[in-house]
Coordinates of all heavy atoms in Angstrom, one line a residue:
F258 N 106.4 85.2 81.4 CA 107.1 85.7 80.2 C 108.6 86.0 80.4 O 109.5 85.7 79.6 CB 106.5 86.9 79.5 CG 107.2 87.4 78.3 CD1 107.2 86.7 77.1 CD2 107.9 88.6 78.3 CE1 107.8 87.2 76.0 CE2 108.5 89.1 77.3 CZ 108.5 88.4 76.1
E259 N 108.9 86.7 81.6 CA 110.3 87.0 81.9 C 111.1 85.8 82.1 O 112.2 85.7 81.6 CB 110.3 87.8 83.2 CG 111.7 88.2 83.7 CD 111.7 88.8 85.1 OE1 111.3 88.1 86.1 OE2 112.0 90.0 85.2
V260 N 110.6 84.7 82.8 CA 111.3 83.5 83.0 C 111.4 82.8 81.7 O 112.7 82.3 81.4 CB 110.5 82.5 84.0 CG1 111.3 81.2 84.1 CG2 110.4 83.2 85.3
W261 N 110.5 82.8 80.8 CA 110.6 82.1 79.5 C 111.7 82.8 78.7 O 112.5 82.2 78.0 CB 109.3 82.2 78.8 CG 109.3 81.7 77.4 CD1 109.3 80.3 77.0 CD2 109.4 82.5 76.2 NE1 109.4 80.3 75.6 CE2 109.5 81.6 75.1 CE3 109.6 83.9 76.0 CZ2 109.5 82.0 73.8 CZ3 109.7 84.2 74.7 CH2 109.7 83.4 73.6
F262 N 111.7 84.1 78.8 CA 112.8 84.9 78.0 C 114.2 84.6 78.5 O 115.0 84.3 77.7 CB 112.5 86.4 78.1 CG 113.6 87.3 77.5 CD1 113.6 87.4 76.2 CD2 114.6 87.8 78.3 CE1 114.5 88.2 75.5 CE2 115.6 88.6 77.7 CZ 115.6 88.8 76.3
I263 N 114.4 84.5 79.8 CA 115.7 84.1 80.3 C 116.1 82.7 79.9 O 117.2 82.4 79.5 CB 115.7 84.3 81.9 CG1 115.4 85.7 82.3 CG2 117.0 83.8 82.5 CD1 115.2 85.9 83.8
L264 N 115.1 81.8 80.1 CA 115.4 80.4 79.7 C 115.8 80.2 78.2 O 116.7 79.4 78.0 CB 114.2 79.5 80.0 CG 113.9 79.2 81.5 CD1 112.6 78.4 81.6 CD2 115.1 78.6 82.2
N265 N 115.2 81.0 77.4 CA 115.4 81.0 76.0 C 116.9 81.3 75.6 O 117.5 80.8 74.7 CB 114.5 81.9 75.1 CG 113.4 81.1 74.5 OD1 113.6 80.1 73.9 ND2 112.2 81.7 74.5
R266 N 117.5 82.2 76.5 CA 118.8 82.6 76.3 C 119.9 81.8 76.9 O 121.1 81.8 76.6 CB 119.0 84.1 76.7 CG 118.1 85.1 75.9 CD 118.3 86.5 76.3 NE 119.6 87.0 75.9 CZ 119.8 87.7 74.9 NH1 118.8 87.9 74.0 NH2 121.0 88.2 74.6
I267 N 119.5 81.0 78.0 CA 120.5 80.3 78.7 C 120.3 78.8 78.7 O 121.2 78.1 79.2 CB 120.6 80.8 80.2 CG1 119.4 80.4 81.0 CG2 120.9 82.2 80.2 CD1 119.5 80.8 82.4
S268 N 119.2 78.3 78.2 CA 118.9 76.9 78.3 C 118.4 76.3 77.0 O 117.8 77.1 76.2 CB 117.8 76.7 79.4 OG 117.4 75.3 79.4
E269 N 118.7 75.1 76.7 CA 118.1 74.4 75.6 C 116.8 73.8 75.8 O 116.2 73.3 74.9 CB 119.1 73.3 75.1 CG 120.5 73.9 74.7 CD 121.4 72.8 74.2 OE1 121.1 71.6 74.4 OE2 122.6 73.2 73.8
N270 N 116.3 73.8 77.0 CA 115.0 73.2 77.3 C 114.0 74.3 77.8 O 113.5 74.2 78.9 CB 115.2 72.1 78.4 CG 114.0 71.3 78.6 OD1 113.1 71.3 77.8 ND2 113.9 70.6 79.7
A271 N 113.9 75.3 77.0 CA 113.0 76.4 77.4 C 111.6 76.2 76.8 O 111.3 75.8 75.7 CB 113.5 77.8 76.8
S272 N 110.6 76.4 77.7 CA 109.2 76.2 77.3 C 108.3 77.0 78.2 O 108.7 77.3 79.3 CB 108.7 74.7 77.4 OG 108.7 74.2 78.7
L273 N 107.2 77.3 77.8 CA 106.3 78.1 78.6 C 105.8 77.4 79.8 O 105.5 77.9 80.9 CB 105.0 78.5 77.8 CG 105.2 79.7 76.8 CD1 104.0 79.9 76.0 CD2 105.6 80.9 77.5
L274 N 105.8 76.0 79.7 CA 105.3 75.2 80.9 C 106.4 75.3 82.0 O 106.1 75.5 83.2 CB 105.2 73.7 80.5 CG 104.9 72.7 81.6 CD1 103.6 73.1 82.3 CD2 104.9 71.2 81.0
N275 N 107.6 75.1 81.6 CA 108.8 75.3 82.5 C 108.8 76.6 83.1 O 109.1 76.8 84.4 CB 110.2 75.0 81.9 CG 110.2 73.5 81.5 OD1 109.4 72.6 81.9 ND2 111.3 73.2 80.7
A276 N 108.6 77.7 82.3 CA 108.6 79.1 82.8 C 107.5 79.2 83.8 O 107.7 80.0 84.9 CB 108.5 80.0 81.6
F277 N 106.3 78.7 83.5 CA 105.2 78.9 84.4 C 105.4 78.1 85.8 O 105.1 78.8 86.8 CB 103.9 78.2 83.7 CG 102.7 78.1 84.7 CD1 102.1 79.2 85.2 CD2 102.2 76.8 84.9 CE1 101.0 79.1 86.0 CE2 101.1 76.7 85.7 CZ 100.5 77.9 86.3
L278 N 106.0 77.0 85.7 CA 106.3 76.3 86.9 C 107.4 77.0 87.8 O 107.2 77.2 89.0 CB 106.8 74.9 86.6 CG 105.8 74.0 86.1 CD1 106.4 72.6 85.6 CD2 104.5 73.7 87.0
L279 N 108.4 77.5 87.2 CA 109.5 78.2 87.8 C 109.0 79.5 88.5 O 109.3 79.9 89.6 CB 110.6 78.5 86.9 CG 111.5 77.4 86.6 CD1 112.3 77.6 85.3 CD2 112.4 77.1 87.7
E280 N 108.0 80.3 87.7 CA 107.5 81.5 88.2 C 106.5 81.2 89.4 O 106.5 82.0 90.4 CB 106.8 82.3 87.1 CG 106.1 83.5 87.6 CD 106.9 84.6 88.3 OE1 108.1 84.4 88.2 OE2 106.3 85.5 88.9
S281 N 105.7 80.2 89.4 CA 104.8 79.9 90.4 C 105.5 79.5 91.7 O 105.1 80.0 92.8 CB 103.8 78.7 90.0 OG 104.5 77.5 89.8
V282 N 106.6 78.8 91.6 CA 107.4 78.4 92.8 C 108.1 79.7 93.3 O 108.2 79.9 94.5 CB 108.5 77.3 92.4 CG1 109.4 77.2 93.6 CG2 107.8 76.0 92.1
S283 N 108.6 80.5 92.4 CA 109.2 81.7 92.8 C 108.2 82.6 93.6 O 108.6 83.2 94.6 CB 109.8 82.5 91.6 OG 110.3 83.8 92.0
R284 N 107.0 82.7 93.1 CA 106.0 83.5 93.8 C 105.6 82.9 95.2 O 105.5 83.7 96.1 CB 104.7 83.6 92.9 CG 103.7 84.5 93.3 CD 104.1 85.9 93.4 NE 105.1 86.3 92.5 CZ 105.9 87.4 92.6 NH1 105.7 88.2 93.6 NH2 106.8 87.7 91.7
L285 N 105.6 81.6 95.3 CA 105.3 81.0 96.6 C 106.5 81.3 97.6 O 106.3 81.6 98.8 CB 105.2 79.5 96.5 CG 105.0 78.7 97.7 CD1 103.7 79.2 98.4 CD2 105.0 77.2 97.4
I286 N 107.8 81.3 97.1 CA 108.9 81.5 97.9 C 108.9 83.1 98.3 O 109.2 83.3 99.5 CB 110.2 81.2 97.2 CG1 110.4 79.7 97.0 CG2 111.4 81.9 97.9 CD1 111.5 79.2 96.2
T287 N 108.5 83.9 97.4 CA 108.4 85.3 97.8 C 107.4 85.6 98.9 O 107.7 86.4 99.8 CB 107.9 86.2 96.5 OG1 108.9 85.9 95.4 CG2 107.8 87.6 96.8
I288 N 106.4 84.8 98.9 CA 105.4 85.0 100.0 C 105.8 84.4 101.3 O 105.7 85.1 102.4 CB 104.1 84.3 99.6 CG1 103.4 85.0 98.3 CG2 103.0 84.3 100.7 CD1 102.3 84.3 97.8

Side-chain angles (χ1 to χ4, degrees):
F258 177 71
E259 179 188 64
V260 176
W261 176 80
F262 176 79
I263 296 173
L264 290 178
N265 257 322
R266 296 180 71 92
I267 67 175
S268 173
E269 297 179 357
N270 191 17
S272 69
L273 284 175
L274 175 61
N275 291 350
F277 172 61
L278 293 174
L279 282 161
E280 173 60 13
S281 61
V282 170
S283 175
R284 190 55 32 196
L285 177 62
I286 289 173
T287 300
I288 295 170

